[in-house]
């Protein structure tokens, strides 16, 4: 893949058409946008995966989770309170347990009451889960098991992670400027199949020694639905889709390649499809990331590659993500982990969670104008020269701030932004 096609001209963003949050989330960092976080307008109608209708009051479940999760959620909540007061609508935000916090309180990484609350909400905002404290627990009592349960029970089969290098933070990347400048990659990861969910699985004793095993399994229908999401995403971006697999050695990857090829060639004739083995893709993302526009891959490969792509921008602390299903609320969360080593020290970066909240406003709550305001406030804070430790560079002339101050700065910028007048 040696040429990056010219991005398609964005259309007007004033359309009120209800479309897939998969499509919209993928457009959150579309090429050619004047706002680094704003989407281009849709060009194809999607009948499923619709956000709730715009209304005056929403039920939001907050999952603070573990590590730095509670403190970044506190900062984000302050920003959302400022936004709703300014714009005249209400977010009724209720906490629920997940991860290590749920294990400590309920001996369950995702209690049934948390699942029920999430299902009955208009949307879900998740901070992060996990930590050293629970790493030696039995598998069923680890924080990650709760996350997998949430995805499976809520049908969150598609995860979309954008990685776009922002001009304000280009020097934060560990790669050379000429390598990362202009990078704009969307990773579409299948989220509820593959080796994380395949059965049978376990650890048994065979011939006197322990044997661990998992099963990398995909059904045709699971591949078809993620391929359609990825095709729709790619058609709204640069028109290029790279499907990543390991078809040279894995039968499940051969099925993946066959099904993706069939769906894209038949249903998305405007999308240029290519295939790449996962080991080569991992290398190419570092060697020349600008060759990629949209990537689609399975659960375990996507877990690794999306983190790698996210680091092209310099810090996971800046990147939001969306996990969506065919119906019901989506779950919006930052790409980073729980960072237990800095938990409680006011060093965390809350911007990825705040940007995840903006995605929630846009794609689950039908509040595009308010999402624009939130994204603009984040950009204004960066332009102002405020930086948390993860994006601070020596000699950059910027001010080092903590989690609390960064959240307050975003809220303060919101107060300066005019509320859009409906046309």
């Amino acid at each position: 893949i040696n040429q990056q096609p010219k991005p398609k001209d964005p259309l007007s963003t004033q359309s009120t058409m209800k479309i897939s949050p998969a499509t919209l989330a993928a457009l959150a960092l579309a090429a050619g946008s004047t706002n680094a976080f704003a989407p281009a307008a849709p060009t194809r109608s999607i009948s499923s995966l619709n956000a709730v209708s715009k209304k005056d009051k929403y039920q939001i479940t907050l999952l603070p989770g573990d590590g730095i999760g509670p403190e970044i959620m506190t900062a984000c909540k302050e920003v959302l309170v400022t936004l709703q007061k300014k714009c005249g609508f209400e977010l009724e935000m209720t906490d629920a347990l997940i991860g290590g916090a749920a294990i400590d309180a309920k001996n369950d990484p995702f209690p049934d009451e948390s699942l029920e609350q999430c299902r009955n909400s208009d949307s879900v905002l998740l901070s992060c889960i996990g930590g050293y404290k629970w790493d030696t627990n039995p598998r069923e009592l680890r924080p990650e098991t709760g996350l997998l349960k949430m995805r499976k029970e809520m049908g969150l089969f598609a995860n979309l992670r954008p990685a776009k290098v922002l001009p304000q933070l280009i020097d934060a990347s560990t790669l050379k400027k000429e390598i990362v400048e202009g990078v704009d990659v969307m990773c579409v990861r299948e989220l509820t199949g593959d080796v994380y969910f395949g059965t049978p699985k376990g650890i048994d004793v065979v011939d006197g020694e322990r044997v661990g095993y998992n099963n990398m399994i995909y059904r045709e229908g699971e591949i078809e639905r993620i391929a359609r999401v990825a095709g729709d995403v790619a058609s709204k971006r640069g028109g290029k889709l790279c499907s990543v697999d390991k078809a040279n050695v894995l039968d499940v990857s051969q099925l993946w390649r066959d099904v993706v090829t069939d769906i894209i060639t038949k249903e998305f004739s405007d999308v240029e499809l290519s295939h790449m083995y996962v080991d080569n893709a991992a290398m190419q993302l570092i060697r020349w990331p600008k060759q990629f526009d949209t990537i689609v891959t399975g659960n375990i490969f996507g877990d690794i590659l999306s983190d790698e792509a996210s680091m092209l921008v310099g810090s996971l602390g800046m990147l939001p993500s969306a996990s969506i299903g065919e119906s019901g609320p989506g779950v919006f969360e930052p790409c980073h982990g729980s960072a237990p080593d800095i938990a409680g020290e006011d060093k965390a970066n809350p911007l990825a969670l705040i940007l995840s909240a903006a995605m929630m406003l846009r794609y689950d709550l039908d509040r595009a104008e308010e999402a624009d305001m939130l994204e603009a406030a984040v950009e204004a804070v960066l332009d102002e020269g405020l930086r948390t430790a993860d994006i601070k560079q020596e000699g950059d002339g910027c001010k080092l701030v903590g989690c609390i101050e960064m959240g307050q700065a975003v809220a303060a910028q919101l107060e300066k932004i005019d509320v859009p007048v409906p046309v």
Side-chain angles (χ1 to χ4, degrees), residues 22 49 151-152 154-158 188 190-193 218-232 256 259-260 263-264 267-268 296 324-327:
L49 301 171
R151 292 170 179 170
K152 196 71 171 181
M154 294 181 66
L156 305 172
F157 73 90
V188 181
E190 201 287 325
L191 208 55
T192 57
Y218 266 117
R219 294 181 178 273
E220 189 173 16
E222 292 175 314
I223 305 171
E224 287 175 344
R225 65 182 182 179
I226 196 68
R228 289 191 175 99
V229 170
D232 195 61
W256 176 281
V259 174
V260 169
I263 292 295
I264 299 302
E267 300 182 19
F268 299 91
V296 63
I324 56 171
E326 294 183 67
S327 62

Short mmCIF file of all heavy atoms in Angstrom, two decimals, residues 22 49 151-152 154-158 188 190-193 218-232 256 259-260 263-264 267-268 296 324-327:
data_model
loop_
_atom_site.label_atom_id
_atom_site.label_comp_id
_atom_site.label_asym_id
_atom_site.label_seq_id
_atom_site.Cartn_x
_atom_site.Cartn_y
_atom_site.Cartn_z
N ALA A 22 -22.00 3.73 14.30
CA ALA A 22 -20.75 3.18 13.79
C ALA A 22 -20.17 4.09 12.72
O ALA A 22 -18.99 4.42 12.72
CB ALA A 22 -21.00 1.79 13.20
N LEU A 49 -28.71 0.72 14.23
CA LEU A 49 -27.74 1.37 15.11
C LEU A 49 -28.01 2.86 15.29
O LEU A 49 -27.12 3.68 15.24
CB LEU A 49 -26.31 1.17 14.56
CG LEU A 49 -25.84 -0.27 14.40
CD1 LEU A 49 -24.53 -0.31 13.65
CD2 LEU A 49 -25.71 -0.96 15.73
N ARG A 151 -19.35 -6.39 27.24
CA ARG A 151 -19.38 -6.37 25.78
C ARG A 151 -20.30 -7.44 25.23
O ARG A 151 -21.08 -7.20 24.31
CB ARG A 151 -17.96 -6.55 25.22
CG ARG A 151 -17.03 -5.39 25.50
CD ARG A 151 -15.59 -5.73 25.15
NE ARG A 151 -14.69 -4.61 25.38
CZ ARG A 151 -13.37 -4.70 25.34
NH1 ARG A 151 -12.79 -5.87 25.07
NH2 ARG A 151 -12.62 -3.63 25.56
N LYS A 152 -20.19 -8.64 25.79
CA LYS A 152 -20.99 -9.76 25.30
C LYS A 152 -22.46 -9.55 25.60
O LYS A 152 -23.32 -9.71 24.72
CB LYS A 152 -20.49 -11.06 25.94
CG LYS A 152 -20.98 -12.31 25.21
CD LYS A 152 -20.28 -12.46 23.88
CE LYS A 152 -20.58 -13.81 23.22
NZ LYS A 152 -19.90 -13.97 21.92
N MET A 154 -24.15 -6.86 26.31
CA MET A 154 -24.75 -5.69 25.67
C MET A 154 -24.63 -5.73 24.15
O MET A 154 -25.08 -4.81 23.47
CB MET A 154 -24.11 -4.41 26.22
CG MET A 154 -24.40 -4.18 27.69
SD MET A 154 -23.67 -2.65 28.33
CE MET A 154 -24.59 -1.41 27.41
N GLY A 155 -24.03 -6.80 23.64
CA GLY A 155 -23.93 -6.95 22.18
C GLY A 155 -23.04 -5.92 21.51
O GLY A 155 -23.29 -5.53 20.36
N LEU A 156 -21.99 -5.50 22.19
CA LEU A 156 -21.10 -4.45 21.66
C LEU A 156 -20.06 -5.09 20.75
O LEU A 156 -18.93 -5.36 21.14
CB LEU A 156 -20.43 -3.70 22.81
CG LEU A 156 -21.38 -3.10 23.85
CD1 LEU A 156 -20.59 -2.56 25.04
CD2 LEU A 156 -22.24 -2.01 23.23
N PHE A 157 -20.43 -5.32 19.49
CA PHE A 157 -19.58 -6.11 18.62
C PHE A 157 -18.55 -5.29 17.85
O PHE A 157 -17.63 -5.86 17.25
CB PHE A 157 -20.44 -6.89 17.61
CG PHE A 157 -21.05 -6.06 16.52
CD1 PHE A 157 -20.36 -5.84 15.33
CD2 PHE A 157 -22.31 -5.49 16.67
CE1 PHE A 157 -20.91 -5.08 14.32
CE2 PHE A 157 -22.88 -4.74 15.66
CZ PHE A 157 -22.17 -4.52 14.49
N ALA A 158 -18.68 -3.98 17.83
CA ALA A 158 -17.77 -3.15 17.03
C ALA A 158 -17.13 -2.08 17.90
O ALA A 158 -17.82 -1.33 18.58
CB ALA A 158 -18.52 -2.49 15.86
N VAL A 188 -11.09 -0.45 13.15
CA VAL A 188 -12.38 -1.07 13.43
C VAL A 188 -12.11 -2.50 13.90
O VAL A 188 -11.66 -3.35 13.14
CB VAL A 188 -13.29 -1.08 12.18
CG1 VAL A 188 -14.64 -1.72 12.51
CG2 VAL A 188 -13.49 0.34 11.66
N GLU A 190 -13.40 -6.05 15.73
CA GLU A 190 -14.49 -6.91 16.17
C GLU A 190 -14.30 -7.19 17.65
O GLU A 190 -13.19 -7.46 18.10
CB GLU A 190 -14.50 -8.21 15.37
CG GLU A 190 -15.84 -8.94 15.38
CD GLU A 190 -16.15 -9.60 16.71
OE1 GLU A 190 -15.20 -10.10 17.38
OE2 GLU A 190 -17.33 -9.64 17.10
N LEU A 191 -15.38 -7.19 18.42
CA LEU A 191 -15.21 -7.10 19.86
C LEU A 191 -15.80 -8.26 20.67
O LEU A 191 -15.52 -8.38 21.86
CB LEU A 191 -15.84 -5.78 20.35
CG LEU A 191 -15.29 -5.13 21.61
CD1 LEU A 191 -13.80 -4.88 21.50
CD2 LEU A 191 -16.03 -3.82 21.88
N THR A 192 -16.61 -9.11 20.06
CA THR A 192 -17.30 -10.12 20.87
C THR A 192 -17.04 -11.55 20.39
O THR A 192 -17.74 -12.48 20.80
CB THR A 192 -18.82 -9.86 20.90
OG1 THR A 192 -19.33 -9.83 19.57
CG2 THR A 192 -19.12 -8.56 21.61
N GLY A 193 -16.07 -11.75 19.52
CA GLY A 193 -15.73 -13.10 19.07
C GLY A 193 -14.26 -13.36 19.28
O GLY A 193 -13.61 -12.77 20.13
N TYR A 218 -14.54 -17.80 14.74
CA TYR A 218 -15.45 -16.78 14.17
C TYR A 218 -16.52 -17.46 13.33
O TYR A 218 -16.23 -18.35 12.53
CB TYR A 218 -14.69 -15.78 13.29
CG TYR A 218 -14.26 -14.55 14.04
CD1 TYR A 218 -12.92 -14.24 14.19
CD2 TYR A 218 -15.20 -13.70 14.62
CE1 TYR A 218 -12.52 -13.12 14.90
CE2 TYR A 218 -14.82 -12.58 15.33
CZ TYR A 218 -13.47 -12.29 15.47
OH TYR A 218 -13.09 -11.18 16.18
N ARG A 219 -17.75 -17.04 13.52
CA ARG A 219 -18.84 -17.44 12.65
C ARG A 219 -18.92 -16.47 11.47
O ARG A 219 -18.56 -15.31 11.59
CB ARG A 219 -20.17 -17.45 13.41
CG ARG A 219 -20.25 -18.50 14.51
CD ARG A 219 -21.60 -18.47 15.20
NE ARG A 219 -21.69 -19.51 16.22
CZ ARG A 219 -22.09 -20.75 15.99
NH1 ARG A 219 -22.45 -21.10 14.75
NH2 ARG A 219 -22.14 -21.63 16.96
N GLU A 220 -19.42 -16.96 10.38
CA GLU A 220 -19.52 -16.14 9.17
C GLU A 220 -20.31 -14.87 9.43
O GLU A 220 -19.93 -13.78 8.98
CB GLU A 220 -20.18 -16.97 8.06
CG GLU A 220 -20.17 -16.33 6.70
CD GLU A 220 -20.67 -17.27 5.63
OE1 GLU A 220 -21.30 -18.30 5.98
OE2 GLU A 220 -20.46 -16.99 4.44
N GLY A 221 -21.42 -14.99 10.18
CA GLY A 221 -22.26 -13.82 10.44
C GLY A 221 -21.55 -12.76 11.26
O GLY A 221 -21.78 -11.56 11.07
N GLU A 222 -20.68 -13.19 12.17
CA GLU A 222 -19.92 -12.23 12.97
C GLU A 222 -18.96 -11.43 12.10
O GLU A 222 -18.77 -10.22 12.30
CB GLU A 222 -19.13 -12.97 14.06
CG GLU A 222 -19.99 -13.61 15.14
CD GLU A 222 -19.18 -14.41 16.12
OE1 GLU A 222 -18.30 -15.19 15.69
OE2 GLU A 222 -19.40 -14.26 17.35
N ILE A 223 -18.36 -12.10 11.14
CA ILE A 223 -17.44 -11.41 10.22
C ILE A 223 -18.20 -10.49 9.29
O ILE A 223 -17.77 -9.37 9.00
CB ILE A 223 -16.60 -12.43 9.43
CG1 ILE A 223 -15.88 -13.38 10.38
CG2 ILE A 223 -15.59 -11.71 8.52
CD1 ILE A 223 -15.21 -14.56 9.69
N GLU A 224 -19.35 -10.93 8.83
CA GLU A 224 -20.14 -10.12 7.89
C GLU A 224 -20.53 -8.78 8.51
O GLU A 224 -20.41 -7.73 7.87
CB GLU A 224 -21.40 -10.89 7.48
CG GLU A 224 -21.14 -12.03 6.52
CD GLU A 224 -22.40 -12.83 6.23
OE1 GLU A 224 -23.39 -12.70 7.00
OE2 GLU A 224 -22.39 -13.61 5.26
N ARG A 225 -20.99 -8.81 9.76
CA ARG A 225 -21.49 -7.56 10.34
C ARG A 225 -20.37 -6.57 10.62
O ARG A 225 -20.53 -5.36 10.43
CB ARG A 225 -22.32 -7.83 11.59
CG ARG A 225 -21.57 -8.42 12.76
CD ARG A 225 -22.52 -8.69 13.93
NE ARG A 225 -21.78 -9.21 15.08
CZ ARG A 225 -22.36 -9.52 16.24
NH1 ARG A 225 -23.67 -9.36 16.39
NH2 ARG A 225 -21.64 -9.98 17.24
N ILE A 226 -19.18 -7.05 11.04
CA ILE A 226 -18.08 -6.11 11.27
C ILE A 226 -17.53 -5.62 9.94
O ILE A 226 -17.09 -4.46 9.82
CB ILE A 226 -16.98 -6.74 12.14
CG1 ILE A 226 -16.03 -5.66 12.70
CG2 ILE A 226 -16.19 -7.78 11.38
CD1 ILE A 226 -16.66 -4.74 13.70
N ALA A 227 -17.57 -6.46 8.90
CA ALA A 227 -17.12 -6.02 7.58
C ALA A 227 -18.02 -4.91 7.04
O ALA A 227 -17.53 -3.96 6.40
CB ALA A 227 -17.11 -7.21 6.62
N ARG A 228 -19.31 -5.00 7.31
CA ARG A 228 -20.24 -3.96 6.84
C ARG A 228 -19.98 -2.63 7.57
O ARG A 228 -20.03 -1.56 6.97
CB ARG A 228 -21.68 -4.41 7.04
CG ARG A 228 -22.10 -5.51 6.07
CD ARG A 228 -23.60 -5.76 6.11
NE ARG A 228 -23.96 -6.73 5.08
CZ ARG A 228 -24.16 -8.03 5.31
NH1 ARG A 228 -24.05 -8.51 6.56
NH2 ARG A 228 -24.47 -8.85 4.32
N VAL A 229 -19.72 -2.72 8.87
CA VAL A 229 -19.37 -1.51 9.61
C VAL A 229 -18.11 -0.89 9.03
O VAL A 229 -18.04 0.32 8.76
CB VAL A 229 -19.19 -1.81 11.11
CG1 VAL A 229 -18.59 -0.60 11.83
CG2 VAL A 229 -20.51 -2.19 11.75
N ALA A 230 -17.09 -1.72 8.82
CA ALA A 230 -15.82 -1.22 8.30
C ALA A 230 -15.95 -0.66 6.89
O ALA A 230 -15.35 0.37 6.56
CB ALA A 230 -14.77 -2.34 8.33
N GLY A 231 -16.73 -1.32 6.06
CA GLY A 231 -16.95 -0.81 4.71
C GLY A 231 -17.64 0.53 4.73
O GLY A 231 -17.28 1.45 3.96
N ASP A 232 -18.63 0.67 5.61
CA ASP A 232 -19.34 1.94 5.72
C ASP A 232 -18.41 3.05 6.22
O ASP A 232 -18.42 4.17 5.73
CB ASP A 232 -20.53 1.77 6.66
CG ASP A 232 -21.52 2.90 6.55
OD1 ASP A 232 -22.08 3.11 5.47
OD2 ASP A 232 -21.72 3.60 7.56
N TRP A 256 -12.07 -15.41 7.59
CA TRP A 256 -12.17 -13.96 7.74
C TRP A 256 -11.90 -13.27 6.41
O TRP A 256 -12.67 -12.41 5.96
CB TRP A 256 -11.18 -13.49 8.81
CG TRP A 256 -11.11 -12.00 8.99
CD1 TRP A 256 -10.45 -11.11 8.20
CD2 TRP A 256 -11.77 -11.24 10.00
NE1 TRP A 256 -10.64 -9.82 8.66
CE2 TRP A 256 -11.44 -9.87 9.76
CE3 TRP A 256 -12.58 -11.56 11.09
CZ2 TRP A 256 -11.92 -8.84 10.58
CZ3 TRP A 256 -13.05 -10.52 11.91
CH2 TRP A 256 -12.72 -9.19 11.65
N VAL A 259 -14.73 -13.89 3.75
CA VAL A 259 -15.99 -13.20 4.03
C VAL A 259 -15.85 -11.69 3.85
O VAL A 259 -16.72 -11.04 3.25
CB VAL A 259 -16.49 -13.54 5.45
CG1 VAL A 259 -17.72 -12.70 5.80
CG2 VAL A 259 -16.82 -15.02 5.56
N VAL A 260 -14.76 -11.11 4.35
CA VAL A 260 -14.54 -9.67 4.18
C VAL A 260 -14.47 -9.31 2.70
O VAL A 260 -15.08 -8.34 2.25
CB VAL A 260 -13.25 -9.22 4.91
CG1 VAL A 260 -12.88 -7.79 4.52
CG2 VAL A 260 -13.44 -9.32 6.42
N ILE A 263 -18.07 -9.41 1.19
CA ILE A 263 -18.94 -8.31 1.60
C ILE A 263 -18.51 -6.99 0.96
O ILE A 263 -19.33 -6.24 0.42
CB ILE A 263 -18.94 -8.17 3.14
CG1 ILE A 263 -19.64 -9.37 3.79
CG2 ILE A 263 -19.62 -6.86 3.57
CD1 ILE A 263 -21.12 -9.48 3.48
N ILE A 264 -17.22 -6.70 1.00
CA ILE A 264 -16.75 -5.40 0.51
C ILE A 264 -16.89 -5.31 -1.01
O ILE A 264 -17.34 -4.28 -1.54
CB ILE A 264 -15.29 -5.15 0.94
CG1 ILE A 264 -15.18 -5.14 2.48
CG2 ILE A 264 -14.80 -3.82 0.36
CD1 ILE A 264 -16.05 -4.12 3.17
N GLU A 267 -20.87 -5.13 -1.72
CA GLU A 267 -21.71 -4.10 -1.12
C GLU A 267 -21.05 -2.73 -1.05
O GLU A 267 -21.73 -1.73 -0.82
CB GLU A 267 -22.13 -4.54 0.29
CG GLU A 267 -22.93 -5.83 0.30
CD GLU A 267 -23.38 -6.23 1.69
OE1 GLU A 267 -23.41 -5.35 2.59
OE2 GLU A 267 -23.71 -7.42 1.90
N PHE A 268 -19.73 -2.66 -1.23
CA PHE A 268 -19.02 -1.39 -1.12
C PHE A 268 -18.04 -1.24 -2.29
O PHE A 268 -16.82 -1.26 -2.11
CB PHE A 268 -18.28 -1.30 0.22
CG PHE A 268 -19.19 -1.37 1.42
CD1 PHE A 268 -19.49 -2.59 2.01
CD2 PHE A 268 -19.76 -0.22 1.95
CE1 PHE A 268 -20.33 -2.67 3.10
CE2 PHE A 268 -20.61 -0.28 3.04
CZ PHE A 268 -20.90 -1.51 3.62
N VAL A 296 -9.62 -2.96 9.45
CA VAL A 296 -10.59 -3.83 10.11
C VAL A 296 -9.89 -5.14 10.45
O VAL A 296 -9.12 -5.68 9.65
CB VAL A 296 -11.83 -4.10 9.23
CG1 VAL A 296 -11.48 -4.82 7.93
CG2 VAL A 296 -12.88 -4.88 10.02
N ILE A 324 -20.04 -0.31 20.06
CA ILE A 324 -21.45 -0.22 19.69
C ILE A 324 -22.00 -1.58 19.31
O ILE A 324 -21.27 -2.50 18.96
CB ILE A 324 -21.65 0.75 18.51
CG1 ILE A 324 -20.79 0.30 17.35
CG2 ILE A 324 -21.32 2.18 18.93
CD1 ILE A 324 -21.03 1.03 16.07
N GLY A 325 -23.32 -1.70 19.39
CA GLY A 325 -24.01 -2.92 19.00
C GLY A 325 -25.11 -2.62 18.01
O GLY A 325 -25.23 -1.50 17.50
N GLU A 326 -25.93 -3.61 17.74
CA GLU A 326 -27.00 -3.44 16.77
C GLU A 326 -28.20 -2.72 17.38
O GLU A 326 -29.06 -2.22 16.66
CB GLU A 326 -27.42 -4.80 16.21
CG GLU A 326 -26.32 -5.46 15.39
CD GLU A 326 -26.76 -6.78 14.79
OE1 GLU A 326 -27.64 -6.76 13.92
OE2 GLU A 326 -26.22 -7.82 15.20
N SER A 327 -28.29 -2.69 18.70
CA SER A 327 -29.38 -1.97 19.38
C SER A 327 -28.92 -1.64 20.78
O SER A 327 -27.91 -2.18 21.27
CB SER A 327 -30.65 -2.83 19.42
OG SER A 327 -30.42 -4.01 20.16
#
